[in-house]
Amino acid sequence: MKIGIIGAGNMGGAIARGLAAGSKVAAADITVCSPNRRGELDALKAEYPDINVSVDNEAAVSGTDMIILAVKPWLLDEVMDALKMKIDFGRQMLVSIVAGATLEQLADYAYAGKAAVFQLIPNTAISVHQSMTFIAARGASPKKIAAVEGIFGELGQTMVVDERQMPACMALASCGIAYVMRYIRAASEGGVELGLPADTAKQIVMQTMTGAVELLRATGSHPEAEIDKVTTPGGLTIRGLNAMEAGGFTASVIAGLKASR
């Protein structure tokens, strides 16, 4: 499969790197275009010499099977107005990671025929094949949906959802990766205050998070069940949890998720 990516910013670049480092798509079958990001294109080419780069967005359309839109929301109409007559919507799949772009809006760009359009929400961990990517589709056959799942499934986990669920999914995973990073930062700073070197504290926090995730995966337990195992009566853990809750830990997390829908 040949893939064209329009946009070489944080997410466009992350997707290109993830694909190029994988086995599903050859780097030579990836084209990344951006008229205003010559520096990012050059950096991408230096890392993966076989990737094709261009400052002409039309190169992402010509001869490709999948077109990935990774541009700023306010640029989407301008980009698609210039390209929509050049896209074979009967053959090429249009995949958007543009925030706020609906499936109806994407389908409206098709000048004729039935367009297979996809709305995706990945996160930046896609560059290291650990994204949580959500997929919503319109006008796409099961075969095309499976093709998109296959491509992005190598870059982490995928989940096909209804479009109406996308805001909640974005809050939990796309915005959520920043929230996890903020917890790592806060816990690491706490470790420093407790007397540990900063790098040591960060290493401990990251491994503890990895262990917690793997424990839940292995057991299928509810998080609270695992919490109960380490909160002995009168113990240190319950004191720490209660202090965090007194500071609004759970309420703050839920409020943050609601704010980012």
Side-chain angles (χ1 to χ4, degrees):
M1 178 175 288
K2 294 187 176 182
I3 296 178
I5 302 172
I6 300 175
N10 290 336
M11 284 308 306
I15 291 171
R17 288 176 172 86
L19 290 172
S23 61
K24 297 274 186 169
V25 182
D29 289 332
I30 302 169
T31 300
V32 184
C33 301
S34 181
N36 303 313
R37 290 186 177 269
R38 183 77 254 184
E40 285 87 342
L41 293 174
D42 289 343
L44 190 58
K45 186 73 172 175
E47 289 180 56
Y48 299 96
D50 289 339
I51 280 185
N52 306 292
V53 299
S54 175
V55 294
D56 182 359
N57 286 338
E58 193 171 332
V61 174
S62 179
T64 58
D65 303 297
M66 179 187 294
I67 302 160
I68 299 175
L69 299 171
V71 299
K72 298 298 184 185
W74 56 87
L75 293 175
L76 182 59
D77 282 339
E78 178 185 340
V79 168
M80 287 304 298
D81 284 346
L83 295 177
K84 62 186 179 183
M85 297 301 291
K86 298 177 173 64
I87 298 173
D88 180 356
F89 285 100
R91 183 185 68 81
Q92 294 174 296
M93 293 179 282
L94 189 65
V95 175
S96 169
I97 65 163
V98 180
T102 65
L103 291 173
E104 182 177 4
Q105 180 182 357
L106 296 172
D108 284 346
Y109 292 128
Y111 59 89
K114 188 177 182 181
V117 295
F118 296 83
Q119 181 189 33
L120 265 65
I121 297 179
N123 62 35
T124 51
I126 202 166
S127 62
V128 292
H129 293 189
Q130 290 295 330
S131 178
M132 181 68 246
T133 300
F134 303 96
I135 302 168
R138 176 171 174 171
S141 66
K143 183 177 179 179
K144 288 186 175 180
I145 294 173
V148 173
E149 282 190 275
I151 293 295
F152 285 88
E154 189 181 31
L155 309 182
Q157 292 190 28
T158 62
M159 186 180 294
V160 177
V161 301
D162 291 333
E163 185 178 13
R164 62 183 175 80
Q165 296 175 312
M166 282 298 208
C169 293
M170 180 172 65
L172 283 170
S174 183
C175 301
I177 197 167
Y179 306 151
V180 172
M181 295 293 183
R182 182 58 61 88
Y183 171 78
I184 293 173
R185 189 193 79 174
S188 299
E189 289 177 350
V192 172
E193 187 168 342
L194 292 170
L196 294 170
D199 286 346
T200 301
K202 185 178 75 170
Q203 180 183 351
I204 293 169
V205 173
M206 289 191 299
Q207 180 55 37
T208 302
M209 291 187 70
T210 299
V213 170
E214 292 304 322
L215 189 60
L216 291 177
R217 282 179 175 160
T219 64
S221 299
H222 189 283
E224 201 62 35
E226 297 300 328
I227 290 172
D228 287 344
K229 293 177 183 178
V230 293
T231 49
T232 55
L236 299 176
T237 305
I238 192 62
R239 293 181 195 175
L241 286 171
N242 286 342
M244 290 180 187
E245 290 299 339
F249 183 82
T250 298
S252 294
V253 171
I254 294 172
L257 291 170
K258 287 182 175 180
S260 49
R261 285 184 301 176

